[in-house]
Amino acid sequence: MTADTLNPAKAGLRAWLTTDTPASRGHARMVQAYLGWLSLTRNPLALLGLAILVVLIAVSALAPWIAPHDPLAQELTNRLQPPGSPGHLFGTDELGRDILSRIIHGASITLYIVTLVAVTAPVVGLVIGTLAGYIGGWTDTVLMRLTDIFLAFPRLVLALAFVAALGPGIENAVLAIAITSWPPYARLARAETLTVRHQDYISAIRLQGASATRIIAGHVMPLCLSSVIVRVTLDMAGIILTAAGLGFLGLGAQPPIPEWGAMISSGRKFLLDQWWVATMPGLAIFIVSLGFNLLGDGLRDILDPRSGQ
Amino acid sequence: MLLSPRFLRSVLKTVATIAVTFIGLLFITFIIGRVMPIDPALSVVGDKASEEIYQAARKAMGLDQPLYVQFFYYISDVFRGDLGTSLLTARPVAEDIIRVFPATLELATIATIFGIIFGVPMGVVAAVNKGRWPDQVVRVLGLFGYSMPVFWLGLIGLLVFYGVLGWVGGPGRLDIFFEDVVPNITGVILIDSLIAGDFEIFGNALSHIILPAAVLGYYSIAYISRMTRSFMLEQLSQEYITTARVKGISEFQVIWRHALGNVMVPLITVIALSYAQLLEGSVLTETVFAWPGLGFYITAGLLSADMNAVLGGTLVVGGVFVGLNLLSDLLYRLVDPRAR
């Protein structure tokens, strides 16, 4: 407070960001974003989630500099050292590799998988959902029936079958997860489209001669975005868990890549005597997906108050 | 009236939808089977076979036919209960699945019971104390459930409760010396041992199932408690609740009888859905606990490139999923007069 009174430029910025009468579309967006940020900061759990994600991104960007060891360097004389051994905070695995360094390097793999799925599946879902909702009729029936069929499989089992057919590997795992995660977005986008389709402003644009493509891409899709974004954030945790599950079954990232799920799988053999080998990467998965869940929960309250019970 | 024409028509419509969905399931598994880089004929005859034998095998398997004909054959095979032969067990996949399915059913049922016993009261308590600490505790417990990799939770559970404390039985459905002792009637050991009157085996089976079921059930506790909470909040804001309170009915009665009673109807759908989702969780849980069910069968098939086993298992899981959805829909219509 005192800082604001001392610093007129900052007070002016705050007034500009909280105004009731924005001067332009950009200004209005800034105001909305700022108000959203304010209500996010009132939710400590959501902030915690955001912090976890910031740390995840920072760690994966800085991995080569902050990891104490080479994640692939084997040191067979130093196998299965417990946490807290000299130079190995989280201990070492069955090949004497430093577990902390492997977890740090694994962060970027997790981020890579999540990002790839997050930029493909929702886009596909958005296109299918808005097309179905806007065009209606047979298109709607066929597209939604297709969506239902994909929804009828449990996601992991379908992803397993796809990876089995395509062969193991990170890219195929991403493809399989993306193929199995677009349907909920399509459902969501269709529902949103149906509510805006007959609004006056859509008719107005149509009377001005806008094509269906233009209306869908320029006016319907942006309105579906906020609920899709919430859903994406909430789904991230599920994507991470599915990817880790595929890794655990040996169908995702292949050794020696330090993928967290695969690390748990290799630590499983020593579970009863060297518990840390499987426990540490599992904690990493748990914390990151908890972060996504906390943030998603908070975002839902802000962006989509209707479902925020 | 229970069976009005309108009700029957809506049921028929649902059944038709399900039929289309099931054909869709078949189409997807068929396509996955075709995408596979491994040549199915080659995997049967081996790479040392002569060209003639290879071509004969292709012809015998119908691989020389156009794709739509092959799809038609595939559908008619599946409807005759023929899912192909497993490379791993050298038995028909359908027979294998009938053998392993009861284990999964047993696990998912006990897990769902956990989900109901803990999830429903937790959701009610959270709704009644909305915004206060019990609500936060339930919410955080639920978020933990959504965030934990089920296979990791299983491993930690094994480490703590089996390895360190020794409270529960280890992996598998029974201790090794109890296996194949009771006659296999239903395939569900908990029931078979009771039929045989062998309480020692019943206890042993219970000590083996309790941990995997709890691990698997944690997810459904998270899901059921969250849904119960939101249904309860909706009911508690209704006027009939105020009326009941004004009439002087005890708060306990208002919450647990009036409000929860009305929540039960939508909860049936939620419970059926969570039961279906446990099938998914069971793939990983069964792998961790060496539980010889459908999930274990699918992953074993995956690791040995046994495509018939994988696709057969996937199809059955999808079918059960659809079936449970249909069942929950029908139950909902039967229980809720408004939906008729």
Side-chain angles (χ1 to χ4, degrees):
Chain A
M1 267 299 156
T2 47
D4 289 348
T5 44
L6 288 176
N7 186 344
K10 204 172 171 189
L13 180 64
R14 172 165 295 184
W16 187 77
L17 280 173
T18 50
T19 177
D20 293 337
T21 49
S24 66
R25 195 193 284 194
H27 187 183
R29 284 208 182 122
M30 298 288 275
V31 170
Q32 210 178 9
Y34 182 68
L35 293 178
W37 167 250
L38 280 186
S39 57
L40 192 68
T41 53
R42 276 197 297 274
N43 184 342
L45 285 178
L47 274 189
L48 177 66
L50 185 64
I52 291 174
L53 297 191
V54 170
V55 171
L56 174 75
I57 294 169
V59 163
S60 62
L62 301 174
W65 294 281
I66 56 175
H69 296 271
D70 180 343
L72 304 181
Q74 305 183 2
E75 203 185 331
L76 293 173
T77 50
N78 234 349
R79 299 172 68 233
L80 299 167
Q81 294 296 311
S85 324
H88 300 292
L89 190 60
F90 286 1
T92 59
D93 68 5
E94 74 276 18
L95 295 172
R97 295 173 295 196
D98 182 50
I99 294 181
L100 175 62
S101 306
R102 287 177 70 72
I103 290 181
I104 290 175
H105 279 272
S108 53
I109 295 163
T110 300
L111 209 56
Y112 173 72
I113 295 176
V114 165
T115 315
L116 272 188
V117 176
V119 297
T120 48
V123 174
V124 174
L126 202 56
V127 171
I128 291 185
T130 46
L131 277 180
Y134 187 79
I135 299 175
W138 270 104
T139 318
D140 186 25
T141 314
V142 171
L143 288 179
M144 281 303 116
R145 198 52 48 231
L146 189 71
T147 311
D148 285 344
I149 290 167
F150 273 89
L151 278 175
F153 276 112
R155 202 200 253 181
L156 179 70
V157 176
L158 187 56
L160 280 180
F162 270 111
V163 180
L166 298 168
I170 294 188
E171 277 73 22
N172 287 343
V174 167
L175 188 62
I177 297 173
I179 290 174
T180 53
S181 32
W182 64 268
Y185 302 112
R187 275 265 183 95
L188 193 65
R190 175 175 176 270
E192 296 275 330
T193 307
L194 288 180
T195 60
V196 299
R197 185 170 67 158
H198 295 297
Q199 304 272 340
D200 287 345
Y201 63 88
I202 296 286
S203 313
I205 309 160
R206 195 179 303 138
L207 286 175
Q208 284 175 2
S211 66
T213 325
R214 191 187 171 92
I215 295 174
I216 292 177
H219 300 276
V220 177
M221 275 190 197
L223 286 166
C224 305
L225 267 186
S226 71
S227 45
V228 168
I229 288 174
V230 173
R231 180 77 208 220
V232 169
T233 323
L234 282 170
D235 273 1
M236 292 290 191
I239 293 166
I240 291 176
L241 295 182
T242 310
L246 290 176
F248 177 74
L249 293 173
L251 297 169
Q254 296 299 300
I257 300 174
E259 196 271 328
W260 294 342
M263 286 170 70
I264 298 181
S265 167
S266 73
R268 197 183 153 190
K269 298 187 234 30
F270 322 100
L271 181 71
L272 294 184
D273 297 310
Q274 284 90 19
W275 54 269
W276 57 91
V277 185
T279 307
M280 296 303 179
L283 274 178
I285 299 173
F286 169 56
I287 292 172
V288 168
S289 54
L290 186 65
F292 275 112
N293 271 330
L294 290 173
L295 182 66
D297 242 30
L299 279 183
R300 179 174 49 192
D301 293 346
I302 297 167
L303 293 177
D304 194 12
R306 277 163 300 169
S307 62
Q309 264 198 344
Chain B
M1 225 176 93
L2 193 60
L3 295 175
S4 66
R6 201 174 125 238
F7 176 67
L8 281 180
R9 204 161 47 232
S10 75
V11 169
L12 277 181
K13 202 175 160 194
T14 318
V15 172
T17 311
I18 297 287
V20 173
T21 311
F22 192 72
I23 300 284
L25 291 183
L26 286 169
F27 185 65
I28 291 180
T29 48
F30 176 75
I31 292 293
I32 294 176
R34 296 292 136 193
V35 192
M36 192 172 72
I38 304 168
D39 184 339
L42 203 60
S43 67
V44 168
V45 296
D47 51 3
K48 294 212 171 61
S50 69
E51 180 65 22
E52 276 167 33
I53 295 178
Y54 172 74
Q55 289 301 343
R58 268 182 71 85
K59 200 160 185 183
M61 295 168 80
L63 294 172
D64 54 338
Q65 307 273 354
L67 272 183
Y68 67 89
V69 179
Q70 290 186 37
F71 182 54
F72 178 75
Y73 282 139
Y74 177 64
I75 292 185
S76 58
D77 279 351
V78 170
F79 276 99
R80 276 186 285 115
D82 178 6
L83 297 172
T85 306
S86 159
L87 296 178
L88 195 62
T89 63
R91 268 188 301 238
V93 171
E95 233 173 68
D96 278 346
I97 289 178
I98 291 172
R99 192 169 42 83
V100 297
F101 196 66
T104 299
L105 195 71
E106 189 179 23
L107 188 61
T109 307
I110 304 281
T112 305
I113 293 174
F114 270 113
I116 299 171
I117 292 179
F118 292 100
V120 173
M122 277 165 64
V124 172
V125 169
V128 173
N129 296 288
K130 184 178 182 241
R132 290 197 291 274
W133 67 264
D135 187 21
Q136 301 296 351
V137 169
V138 169
R139 180 174 164 166
V140 169
L141 277 179
L143 280 175
F144 276 22
Y146 282 119
S147 310
M148 243 179 253
V150 66
F151 51 95
W152 180 71
L153 190 62
L155 288 173
I156 300 294
L158 269 180
L159 172 66
V160 174
F161 294 104
Y162 171 65
V164 179
L165 298 171
W167 288 355
V168 298
R173 296 174 82 185
L174 285 171
D175 285 349
I176 190 89
F177 41 86
F178 282 132
E179 265 177 44
D180 300 321
V181 174
V182 288
N184 185 348
I185 299 166
T186 59
V188 178
I189 292 183
L190 286 177
I191 295 179
D192 285 349
S193 60
L194 282 185
I195 293 176
D198 193 328
F199 291 100
E200 201 184 348
I201 290 189
F202 180 78
N204 188 263
L206 204 61
S207 82
H208 275 266
I209 201 172
I210 198 101
L211 186 62
V215 166
L216 194 53
Y218 187 22
Y219 177 81
S220 59
I221 294 176
Y223 180 57
I224 291 176
S225 68
R226 178 181 273 206
M227 297 313 283
T228 309
R229 177 181 179 273
S230 89
F231 292 147
M232 277 297 282
L233 282 178
E234 200 185 321
Q235 291 299 324
L236 287 174
S237 64
Q238 305 276 326
E239 284 181 355
Y240 75 89
I241 292 291
T242 319
T243 314
R245 283 188 180 137
V246 170
K247 272 164 63 183
I249 296 173
S250 73
E251 191 62 19
F252 183 86
Q253 289 256 346
V254 170
I255 291 165
W256 294 94
R257 263 192 65 192
H258 289 70
L260 188 61
N262 280 313
V263 164
M264 279 304 170
V265 175
L267 259 190
I268 290 176
T269 321
V270 166
I271 289 168
L273 283 181
S274 94
Y275 199 84
Q277 264 153 11
L278 291 184
L279 284 177
E280 176 168 21
S282 73
V283 172
L284 290 166
T285 316
E286 287 178 5
T287 311
V288 169
F289 287 94
W291 192 265
L294 188 55
F296 195 67
Y297 182 69
I298 294 178
T299 47
L302 274 175
L303 298 179
S304 48
D306 186 353
M307 218 45 197
N308 281 340
V310 174
L311 290 183
T314 308
L315 195 60
V316 169
V317 171
V320 172
F321 215 68
V322 174
L324 279 171
N325 274 313
L326 174 67
L327 188 72
S328 80
D329 197 57
L330 292 181
L331 275 178
Y332 184 80
R333 280 167 212 251
L334 276 177
V335 177
D336 188 348
R338 282 166 302 182
R340 265 178 230 149

